[in-house]
Amino acid sequence: MTSLEELIRLLKKLPGMGEKSATRLAYHLIKTDSAFNKALGDAISTLKEKIHPCPICGCYSEGDSCPYCSDAKRDHSILCVVEEAEDVVSIASSGVYNGLFHVLGGAINPMNGIGPDALRLKELRTRIQEGSFKEVIIATNPTEEGDTTALYIRQLLSSFPSLSLSRLASGIPIGGDLGYVDKMTLARSMRGRIKL
């Protein structure tokens, strides 16, 4: 296998990267300045050393805690529960949410062997017990797995009677992924969230 074929094979493993896209990107990198390729390679090779999950919320961070958990200006009475760290960026960039986040690390999916114990649900319950949250917004993806996870969270937090639970409202397409929803749709969904 040539170096070019190996690069294409590796690029195809990236999400959303098919044969054509991987080939196009590989040829682009060949034509690109070698200083850029070296900087890109260095950034990729040190990624795991520099970035780690925030011990509080599970979002990615380079410090002791992520920028959201360490921001004193954020509303510490509202917690938004999402499936993946990418969802945090999507919701934060909508500009309508200023609370804290909790990343589950996925959704309940028995078909793929992902049960509640594989997610950060124990940590969620501990944060609710130890924090002063008034509302938890369940912002799991509008999929079967996301809905199942939302129902599980509702049951998990049902022993906190003073805690208000809500779910993102309509506007996000069924089967959609929060990482691909435009900011206006996400903002409308966040403003129109419904109580569970």
Side-chain angles (χ1 to χ4, degrees), residues 49-72:
E49 296 165 16
K50 293 180 179 178
I51 300 173
H52 57 273
C54 172
I56 301 167
C57 73
C59 190
Y60 292 119
S61 173
E62 290 188 49
D64 291 336
S65 63
C66 74
Y68 305 105
C69 290
S70 58
D71 185 353

Side-chain angles (χ1 to χ4, degrees), residues 27-189:
Y27 277 100
H28 173 76
L29 291 172
I30 290 171
K31 295 180 214 171
T32 302
D33 182 315
S34 60
F36 171 80
N37 286 342
K38 180 168 178 8
L40 178 63
D42 290 345
I44 291 171
S45 68
T46 60
L47 198 61
K48 291 281 198 176
E49 296 165 16
K50 293 180 179 178
I51 300 173
H52 57 273
C54 172
I56 301 167
C57 73
C59 190
Y60 292 119
S61 173
E62 290 188 49
D64 291 336
S65 63
C66 74
Y68 305 105
C69 290
S70 58
D71 185 353
K73 294 178 183 172
R74 297 193 78 82
D75 185 344
H76 288 244
S77 70
I78 304 173
L79 185 66
C80 183
V81 179
V82 297
E83 291 179 23
E84 302 292 347
E86 305 93 274
D87 301 332
V88 170
V89 177
S90 297
I91 291 173
S93 68
S94 72
V96 296
Y97 179 72
N98 192 38
L100 299 178
F101 292 96
H102 186 84
V103 179
L104 296 172
I108 296 171
N109 187 341
M111 297 294 286
N112 289 338
I114 302 171
D117 291 340
L119 305 178
R120 297 183 68 249
L121 291 163
K122 289 177 188 165
E123 293 87 341
L124 172 63
R125 186 169 172 79
T126 301
R127 282 186 80 184
I128 299 301
Q129 285 174 329
E130 296 175 357
S132 56
F133 297 105
K134 294 178 183 170
E135 180 182 7
V136 171
I137 302 166
I138 302 171
T140 53
N141 288 319
T143 60
E144 241 179 86
E145 296 81 9
D147 290 343
T148 300
T149 305
L151 290 172
Y152 188 90
I153 293 169
R154 184 177 76 180
Q155 181 63 33
L156 179 73
L157 302 180
S158 64
S159 61
F160 300 95
S162 62
L163 187 66
S164 173
L165 295 177
S166 60
R167 180 114 160 91
L168 292 185
S170 62
I172 298 175
I174 300 300
D177 188 288
L178 288 175
Y180 297 103
V181 175
D182 66 281
K183 291 178 185 179
M184 291 299 291
T185 301
L186 193 55
R188 184 169 49 246
S189 296

Side-chain angles (χ1 to χ4, degrees), residues 5 8-9 11-12 16-26:
E5 290 170 336
I8 292 169
R9 184 187 71 77
L11 289 171
K12 284 186 345 189
M17 189 71 68
E19 182 79 33
K20 282 186 173 184
S21 296
T23 302
R24 190 175 327 118
L25 183 55

